[in-house]
Amino acid sequence: MTVTTAGPLPGGDAYDVTVVGAGVVGSAIARELARLPLRIALVDASDDVGDGTSKANTAILHTGFDAVPGSLESRLVREGQRLLGSYAADSGIPVEPLGALLVAWNEEQLAALPGLADKAVRNGYGSARILPAGEVRAREPELGTGVLGALHVPDESIICPWTTTLAYATQAVRAGVDLHLDCPVRSVAPGGQGEPHVLTTGRGPLRTRYLVNAAGLYADEIDRFLGHADFTVTPRRGQLIVFDELARGLVRHILLPVPDARGKGVLVTPTVYGNVMLGPTAEDLDDKTATGSTAEGLRLLREKGRRILPALLEEEVTAVYAGLRAATGQEDYAIRAHPEQRYVTVGGIRSTGLTASMAIAAHVVELLADGGLPVAGARELEPVRMPNLGEAFPRPYRDAAMIAADPEYGRIVCHCERVTRGEIRDALAGTVPPGSLDGLRRRTRARGGRCQGFHCGAAVRALFEEARR
């Protein structure tokens, strides 16, 4: 098992395949490649896996009911939901099947619901149905006034995005993939006939026979290193507000707006961690690092939230955050194979990428095989079991058997989120340990609650620094 975070990269022979980008999609691809008897590398500019778009999304396991029918995205989301649902159950990743309501607030939106129901059928999803206003109100009594109806999509779910990415990366590393973090790719010298590509990284050169570009916001830049300009990534900022766990009783479903051309719009959704989220905005920017929240964005969200669920605005706010989506102006994923270059681009993966991740990975390996990658001798991977971060499932501080076996699971460090010393210890000793306190939060929820680490921050930092020593 190899995870490196500093120093020159290992020398020697070239890797068979290198995946650039250790978000949820890149990590899923590395995991799928780990089944093959090949030398695989996964590289990322950050100090952790899932530290870009993958950490800051709405965490919904989609059905794909509203994708463009016949598109690659539609197929991969549909397959991915099935694959990830099964994988999550086997790996301990929390999923809650709440169902979604696309709420119509005016006659135009109401008139759009039959078309959305038909679109769902064309996407292979036949369980959506239109509900009258009275039934919508009975299902969600705290909705604002003026509801005219809704489309009910019963199989939409919420999921933990943090442990999904971590599970993929953990399995990949345990199966022999080299994970190189703090390793930005600065240029690529494409390999000629029989020659490897040479990646210039912040930690030295890396040679690889095949290259997969899953660099998210930077996928267009990597693409240009290989001589392609099929798409341009425009970072689309999505700001969100996270409300306290006491707000959880206000909402029973994922509440979606009727979508428009810019996306699914502002929604209200519970999280598996017990909070309620409001967002996201959709702001096209030039800066691929602009993840700050703005007064204007938060004001817009509060206006939308007051219409959807008025009582929510009376609840305490736990946090605000923003993520950047890789918008390309195209209606489908920008997954392109260049077999003559032994290169695959995986670009334009939008908010459905979490759901589709395992199906995208299988598709990419097929494209690599079509380009000559040997795929014989595939094996099953050793299963992983992730720490449960979800409130709908038993957590260590409430598990008498765990505490009896190891009292560290009964010693709470973060009281807001009820995180124990045992969980923090396990995360710090994990196959892919956190590179920062934020990475530790994504593995345990420590410092993620009401006080945002005001009370537990020093103790958590001390444990983190002790482990690093």
Side-chain angles (χ1 to χ4, degrees):
M1 296 188 293
T2 302
V3 179
T4 72
T5 58
L9 296 174
D13 295 335
Y15 286 103
D16 293 300
V17 189
T18 295
V19 181
V20 179
V24 70
V25 171
S27 296
I29 294 168
R31 174 192 171 274
E32 187 68 17
L33 287 166
R35 300 174 62 242
L36 304 174
L38 301 172
R39 191 171 182 220
I40 310 297
L42 175 63
V43 304
D44 198 279
S46 179
D47 64 6
D48 200 3
V49 298
D51 193 45
T53 299
S54 299
K55 74 179 180 186
N57 56 50
T58 48
I60 295 174
L61 185 58
H62 295 282
T63 59
F65 76 95
D66 59 347
V68 176
S71 65
L72 180 63
E73 180 181 17
S74 173
R75 175 171 72 83
L76 295 181
V77 170
R78 188 167 60 250
E79 294 174 3
Q81 186 208 27
R82 174 181 57 81
L83 291 170
L84 181 50
S86 175
Y87 181 78
D90 292 341
S91 304
I93 298 166
V95 173
E96 291 185 53
L98 303 180
L101 294 172
L102 277 78
V103 182
W105 300 95
N106 57 46
E107 293 293 341
E108 181 181 358
Q109 292 174 355
L110 185 65
L113 296 184
L116 286 168
D118 177 67
K119 190 178 190 181
V121 171
R122 287 185 288 140
N123 278 313
Y125 183 76
S127 299
R129 66 186 185 96
I130 297 172
L131 305 181
E135 186 171 347
V136 177
R137 178 71 60 188
R139 286 175 172 269
E140 291 287 353
E142 297 294 337
L143 280 171
T145 59
V147 174
L148 300 181
L151 182 69
H152 181 219
V153 187
D155 297 297
E156 295 277 301
S157 303
I158 56 175
I159 187 171
C160 175
W162 303 332
T163 45
T164 301
T165 305
L166 183 61
Y168 294 159
T170 297
Q171 251 186 324
V173 170
R174 289 180 181 175
V177 171
D178 289 348
L179 172 61
H180 301 305
L181 299 170
D182 284 316
C183 188
V185 175
R186 293 174 176 162
S187 67
V188 179
Q193 186 69 31
E195 294 298 316
H197 306 293
V198 179
L199 282 59
T200 300
T201 81
R203 294 174 50 201
L206 183 150
R207 299 165 66 244
T208 186
R209 291 174 54 232
Y210 289 79
L211 180 62
V212 177
N213 169 13
L217 292 167
Y218 299 91
D220 57 341
E221 299 177 27
I222 301 293
D223 217 35
R224 281 156 177 72
F225 291 149
L226 277 293
H228 306 288
D230 295 339
F231 63 94
T232 297
V233 171
T234 299
R236 180 167 293 164
R237 180 167 60 190
Q239 301 184 50
L240 296 107
I241 301 174
V242 182
F243 289 88
D244 187 77
E245 294 173 14
L246 294 175
R248 180 63 182 83
L250 296 175
V251 59
R252 303 170 183 174
H253 301 73
I254 303 164
L255 302 180
L256 302 172
V258 177
D260 60 24
R262 290 180 64 83
K264 294 179 170 63
V266 173
L267 56 85
V268 173
T269 180
T271 74
V272 294
Y273 320 115
N275 304 97
V276 176
M277 284 197 307
L278 170 65
T281 57
E283 312 154 55
D284 287 343
L285 307 174
D286 296 323
D287 185 354
K288 293 182 178 181
T289 65
T291 56
S293 299
T294 66
E296 181 181 356
L298 299 180
R299 178 188 57 76
L300 171 67
L301 292 181
R302 292 183 69 86
E303 283 181 6
K304 297 281 189 180
R306 189 169 288 109
R307 172 72 182 273
I308 301 167
L309 207 69
L312 184 62
L313 276 298
E314 304 304 317
E315 298 293 330
E316 295 289 334
V317 172
T318 295
V320 298
Y321 70 92
L324 298 174
R325 288 162 279 173
T328 62
Q330 301 177 15
E331 289 192 325
D332 205 352
Y333 293 159
I335 300 179
R336 312 272 194 270
H338 303 279
E340 73 287 352
Q341 288 185 299
R342 308 182 307 278
Y343 170 63
V344 176
T345 303
V346 187
I349 309 300
R350 298 170 296 192
S351 59
T352 55
L354 169 61
T355 301
S357 54
M358 297 187 80
I360 292 173
H363 179 62
V364 168
V365 173
E366 288 176 2
L367 294 176
L368 290 169
D370 291 343
L373 180 73
V375 294
R379 56 180 172 156
E380 292 299 318
L381 299 177
E382 288 294 321
V384 293
R385 192 72 186 174
M386 303 311 293
N388 169 50
L389 304 187
E391 285 299 303
F393 308 91
R395 292 183 58 213
Y397 79 97
R398 299 176 62 183
D399 191 323
M402 284 187 73
I403 295 168
D406 185 345
E408 291 291 87
Y409 293 119
R411 297 189 175 114
I412 293 178
V413 177
C414 171
H415 287 269
C416 292
E417 296 295 280
R418 297 168 295 280
V419 182
T420 66
R421 286 181 63 96
E423 292 169 275
I424 293 172
R425 176 204 60 203
D426 293 349
L428 293 170
T431 301
V432 184
S436 66
L437 289 171
D438 283 343
L440 181 59
R441 176 175 54 83
R442 291 193 294 273
R443 287 160 173 79
T444 64
R445 290 173 47 180
R447 300 169 51 254
R450 294 185 183 100
C451 80
Q452 291 290 288
F454 181 82
H455 290 286
C456 71
V460 173
R461 179 180 290 277
L463 292 170
F464 176 76
E465 292 180 348
E466 180 183 349
R468 287 170 72 89
R469 286 196 297 269

